[in-house]
Structure formats: C-alpha cells, structure tokens
Amino acid sequence: MRTIEGKVVVLGAQGVGKTSMVVRYIGKMFSHHISPTIGASFFTAKINVGENKVKLQVWDTAGQERFRSMAPMYYRNANAALLVFDITQYHSFAAIKTWVKELKRNVDEPLVLCVVGNKTDLESSREVNREEAFHYSKSIGGTYYETSALQDQGIEDVFLNVSKGLICLSQESLHTSSLRVYDSDNITSANPRGVVEITPLSSLDTPPLTEAETAKSFCC
C-alpha cells in the first residue's frame, strides 16, 4: 500500500463555515459557537482509498480581511485547495474567484481544486445558482460540491474527492515535488473519529501545533 501525504488549504470569506465544515468532518460534531479562526488551524486526516492511504494535512485559514496578508504562509506548497463559499451570500462566491487568481499567481505546482458551496440547509435563502457555481468550478479545472456542516451533508464527498485528486496527482510523471509518496507496510485499520482539538496559529514565528486526527477507509 502506498501512502500519499498532501497539504490541503481551506480558503474563503469570513463566516462561510470553513471551520464548521472541517470540524464536522474530523470531529463529527457541530457547534453554533465556533469562534472565528485566528491565523489558521491545523488538522490531519487519514483516508484509505483502495490500495492508497492518503494523509491530509489540513490548514483551515482565517477569513477575516486583517489576516489576508498571512495567507501565503499557509497556502505555500499546498497540493489542494478547498474554496468555500456560503450559498446565501453571493459576495462570498465572488471572493472565491479572487482566491483562485491569487493561488495561480503564487503556487507554481499542480493543485487539486474543489469549490464548495456550504449551508445548503438555508436553501430558501440561496443567492448563488448551482449551475453558475458548477460551471465556474469546471472552468478552473476543479470540482464542485454543496454541503451543510449543520446537517452533515456532502462533506465526506468533498474530502474523498480531494484524496482521489491527490492520488491522481501522485501518478502523473511530473507530479508536484511537495507531495510525499512512499510505500507503507504497517497500515492499521481505520480508527473512529475522536473529539477534535483546534489549535489556532496566531504567530508568524513557530506556533505550537496540536494535530486533530482521524482515519477513514473508502473504496474507489
């Protein structure tokens, strides 16, 4: 079995539900009282996909404008990006396009791009047309998913899609040098998801990291 380790950066405007989505996936929980991310938070998740074990190093970034200058530190050497917007706030969808332009200017190696329309539980207040979001995602070479962190819908598919994208990237002859690929002999079975612990990274120096980790198994 091969192990593939890739860095995933989560980008989007403030309040779109980036942290709620990640915590729902890793911690299997939802809270209405999650504080805004300061700088970024770091998580890991392990997913078994066929004969591959994918380890995702997930960087959940702050959406507040005052932290925008810190973003390059977090998406540097990224192998995948989750571009999250709120389907009830069109401006948050427009912000995604700005993030994509910034990534293309600053990240030289191939990226797995996944656009995520969050908060489908608020369908009656939708401002972003599903077809528009889908066609935009296709135009940038990405995929499109809609999710609800509140109702735990679609989130598993997002992370599985990213994992499969990293597997495809690892199989290309000129795959990104920052993507770690190696054979692993001692692979344990998937562990149940535990309580997530979030570590805010508010310093530009050497912030302490605490990993929130989960393991999952999927078949292609």
Side-chain angles (χ1 to χ4, degrees):
M1 178 177 279
R2 294 191 317 158
T3 294
I4 300 162
E5 292 188 17
K7 179 178 180 180
V8 183
V9 63
V10 186
L11 301 169
Q14 180 181 4
V16 299
K18 299 185 298 297
T19 300
S20 293
M21 190 176 74
V22 175
V23 170
R24 169 63 87 176
Y25 178 72
I26 292 177
K28 197 57 181 177
M29 63 182 181
F30 180 86
S31 172
H32 289 282
H33 306 291
I34 292 179
S35 300
T37 302
I38 299 175
S41 298
F42 176 72
F43 309 81
T44 64
K46 295 174 182 177
I47 306 176
N48 295 329
V49 185
E51 295 301 314
N52 299 281
K53 180 178 181 180
V54 183
K55 183 175 182 179
L56 304 177
Q57 301 170 349
V58 183
W59 291 80
D60 171 31
T61 67
Q64 299 175 58
E65 189 63 33
R66 64 193 178 103
F67 294 116
R68 186 65 181 251
S69 63
M70 299 173 64
M73 180 177 69
Y74 300 118
Y75 61 64
R76 186 179 301 122
N77 296 322
N79 308 114
L82 298 184
L83 302 149
V84 186
F85 69 90
D86 178 349
I87 67 165
T88 72
Q89 300 289 337
Y90 194 87
H91 70 83
S92 68
F93 175 62
I96 290 300
K97 300 178 181 180
T98 302
W99 279 114
V100 171
K101 291 178 181 177
E102 187 168 334
L103 287 171
K104 290 186 174 181
R105 282 197 307 267
N106 296 285
V107 180
D108 296 328
E109 297 183 328
L111 271 175
V112 177
L113 297 177
C114 184
V115 179
V116 182
N118 192 35
K119 303 190 182 181
T120 56
D121 49 282
L122 300 176
E123 178 67 31
S124 61
S125 300
R126 176 187 288 271
E127 291 186 0
V128 182
N129 181 274
R130 185 182 285 103
E131 289 297 314
E132 180 182 0
F134 172 79
H135 287 301
Y136 172 71
S137 303
K138 188 175 180 180
S139 74
I140 61 172
T143 54
Y144 179 61
Y145 287 88
E146 293 198 340
T147 62
S148 169
L150 175 64
Q151 298 177 343
D152 195 12
Q153 294 179 348
I155 296 174
E156 297 269 359
D157 293 334
V158 169
F159 285 92
L160 177 58
N161 171 73
V162 169
S163 298
K164 288 182 175 180
L166 293 177
I167 292 171
C168 291
L169 201 60
S170 73
Q171 294 169 341
E172 296 178 2
S173 57
L174 296 176
H175 68 73
T176 173
S177 60
S178 60
L179 188 67
R180 293 189 60 201
V181 182
Y182 52 90
D183 292 327
S184 49
D185 298 323
N186 300 317
I187 303 299
T188 58
S189 59
N191 297 318
R193 286 187 272 185
V195 175
V196 65
E197 182 175 354
I198 303 173
T199 301
L201 307 182
S202 56
S203 170
L204 286 172
D205 300 319
T206 53
L209 295 180
T210 300
E211 295 186 1
E213 189 168 294
T214 184
K216 298 168 175 295
S217 293
F218 291 96
C219 294
C220 295

